[in-house]
Amino acid sequence: MRPENHKLMSNTTKLDVKGFIDFGNLLVDYSEGDILAYEKVKDFSRLFPPKSMTNLIMLCSGGHARIKANERTFDATDGEILICPPSVKTWSVSSNDNFECRVISISDHIIQGLLHDKIHIWHHAVYVNQMNVINLSNTYREEFSLYYSLIRLKTHSIGQGEPKEILLALIRAFLLELCFHLEDLSSTEEQPKLSQGKVLFNRFLSMLSSSSIKRQPVAYYAGQLAITPKYLTMLCLKYSNKTASDWIIQYTTEEIRFYLKSSNLTIKEISAKLGFSNMSHFGSYVRKHLGVSPSEFRHHH
């Protein structure tokens, strides 16, 4: 439990279930901070800046808030969703007295694993456009409120022995709905002109997303972009607070997770498919980044 959460907690109760802590009506913390849900947030500024590698999805239910970030101003009012990635450098946050919102905070790791084939939509929105405000119709507003309520309800249910897969399936559906809106938003709104650096960073993410073998040296991707590895890493740090190597590891690791948990391929076939030279190398990589052997991860995680 991290110190910065104390300002938001009330009636703290710890359940005897690993990875699940109930903070009453205000905060639910599941899976060691990978998924957080904040209920009836009034002091918007407490959520900023977002924690490292954490995405904030805010469903505004009343009032008005203004965020000045990355040289742009964003307004969020009743019925709108504001998406804020971990790369945002916030200048200031203000809100009026009747402002209220619900917030779901999800780590990059969870989003990458759940979206998988749609991750390019998310990354374009949150790392290239930086922040997004989605104006929802009444129908979709009610739908997203239901998603939020179900996610909180299922988080509590895990403490009573319900499989976490149900919660993750709900969050995946919620994220897919968001991607649908983000894709629609990018096709209808005039997009700000991107700097050359941001264009290159976007191309790097697109290459990673579409490549069948993602575990390549940084120099390989830099060569495809006709820039130096050092410059590619500098761009990644500037726009995402992660190095190029971090991105390659993240994409490779989530690809491994996906195939181990969601395919019938043998471990040997997965190793070959993802470009590992031999099973020993693949096993060492999985142990280093997932903490267990491929077979243990497949059967026990």
Side-chain angles (χ1 to χ4, degrees), residues 143-158:
E143 190 173 297
F144 277 99
S145 292
L146 287 171
Y147 269 121
Y148 176 88
S149 298
L150 276 171
I151 288 169
R152 288 193 81 242
L153 177 65
K154 290 301 179 182
T155 305
H156 282 287
S157 298
I158 286 177

Side-chain angles (χ1 to χ4, degrees), residues 201-219:
F201 174 66
N202 190 33
R203 284 178 58 194
F204 170 61
L205 289 186
S206 296
M207 287 166 57
L208 261 176
S209 179
S210 60
S211 176
S212 57
I213 297 178
K214 305 181 191 313
R215 194 184 59 87
Q216 304 278 10
V218 174

Side-chain angles (χ1 to χ4, degrees), residues 232-252:
L232 176 56
T233 290
M234 187 199 77
L235 291 175
C236 290
L237 284 169
K238 179 178 180 180
Y239 295 117
S240 69
N241 294 327
K242 289 191 279 192
T243 67
S245 292
D246 290 338
W247 276 110
I248 293 167
I249 291 169
Q250 179 175 320
Y251 267 84
T252 302

Side-chain angles (χ1 to χ4, degrees), residues 16-281:
D16 188 23
V17 179
K18 184 179 179 182
F20 181 87
I21 302 173
D22 179 6
F23 296 116
N25 292 327
L26 195 56
L27 174 66
V28 172
D29 185 342
Y30 166 74
S31 188
E32 298 179 352
D34 278 335
I35 304 165
L36 300 168
Y38 301 83
E39 175 75 4
K40 296 182 179 178
V41 175
K42 292 183 178 293
D43 188 352
F44 202 47
S45 63
R46 290 184 180 180
L47 299 175
F48 286 90
K51 301 180 189 70
S52 177
M53 306 307 149
T54 298
N55 302 263
L56 298 179
I57 304 167
M58 291 156 275
L59 294 75
C60 300
S61 53
H64 170 269
R66 172 166 290 177
I67 301 171
K68 293 182 180 179
N70 290 8
E71 301 180 3
R72 295 170 64 192
T73 299
F74 300 87
D75 291 291
T77 58
D78 185 19
E80 292 182 329
I81 286 182
L82 179 69
I83 300 174
C84 177
S87 58
V88 166
K89 299 174 179 63
T90 304
W91 289 355
S92 65
V93 180
S94 60
S95 56
N96 60 10
D97 291 340
N98 62 336
F99 174 77
E100 188 172 284
C101 73
R102 297 168 166 182
V103 181
I104 297 177
S105 168
I106 309 177
S107 70
D108 269 358
H109 152 67
I110 292 290
I111 290 177
Q112 177 93 23
L114 292 180
L115 282 181
H116 193 62
D117 56 331
K118 301 292 184 183
I119 195 64
H120 63 285
I121 299 172
W122 182 266
H123 282 163
H124 178 80
V126 303
Y127 286 108
V128 178
N129 291 345
Q130 293 293 307
M131 292 184 69
N132 296 267
V133 177
I134 304 173
N135 196 319
L136 300 175
S137 66
N138 288 336
T139 300
Y140 281 119
R141 188 185 312 181
E142 187 175 332
E143 190 173 297
F144 277 99
S145 292
L146 287 171
Y147 269 121
Y148 176 88
S149 298
L150 276 171
I151 288 169
R152 288 193 81 242
L153 177 65
K154 290 301 179 182
T155 305
H156 282 287
S157 298
I158 286 177
Q160 300 164 9
E162 187 168 293
K164 67 180 180 182
E165 286 78 11
I166 297 175
L167 171 64
L168 294 177
L170 267 174
I171 293 173
R172 172 172 161 77
F174 175 64
L175 291 172
L176 287 173
E177 289 272 11
L178 281 176
C179 282
F180 167 77
H181 286 281
L182 289 169
E183 204 168 25
D184 187 54
L185 189 67
S186 65
S187 65
T188 57
E189 285 194 352
E190 184 179 346
Q191 299 299 307
K193 187 175 180 180
L194 301 179
S195 66
Q196 181 63 19
K198 192 168 282 190
V199 169
L200 288 168
F201 174 66
N202 190 33
R203 284 178 58 194
F204 170 61
L205 289 186
S206 296
M207 287 166 57
L208 261 176
S209 179
S210 60
S211 176
S212 57
I213 297 178
K214 305 181 191 313
R215 194 184 59 87
Q216 304 278 10
V218 174
Y220 167 81
Y221 291 103
Q224 297 292 308
L225 297 169
I227 58 177
T228 66
K230 184 177 180 180
Y231 186 54
L232 176 56
T233 290
M234 187 199 77
L235 291 175
C236 290
L237 284 169
K238 179 178 180 180
Y239 295 117
S240 69
N241 294 327
K242 289 191 279 192
T243 67
S245 292
D246 290 338
W247 276 110
I248 293 167
I249 291 169
Q250 179 175 320
Y251 267 84
T252 302
T253 303
E254 293 310 326
E255 197 88 327
I256 291 169
R257 285 179 191 273
F258 176 79
Y259 283 111
L260 285 176
K261 299 302 290 185
S262 306
S263 80
N264 294 320
L265 295 175
T266 66
I267 292 174
K268 184 176 181 180
E269 288 170 335
I270 294 171
S271 172
K273 184 179 181 66
L274 300 183
F276 288 85
S277 56
N278 56 63
M279 287 281 288
S280 176
H281 189 193

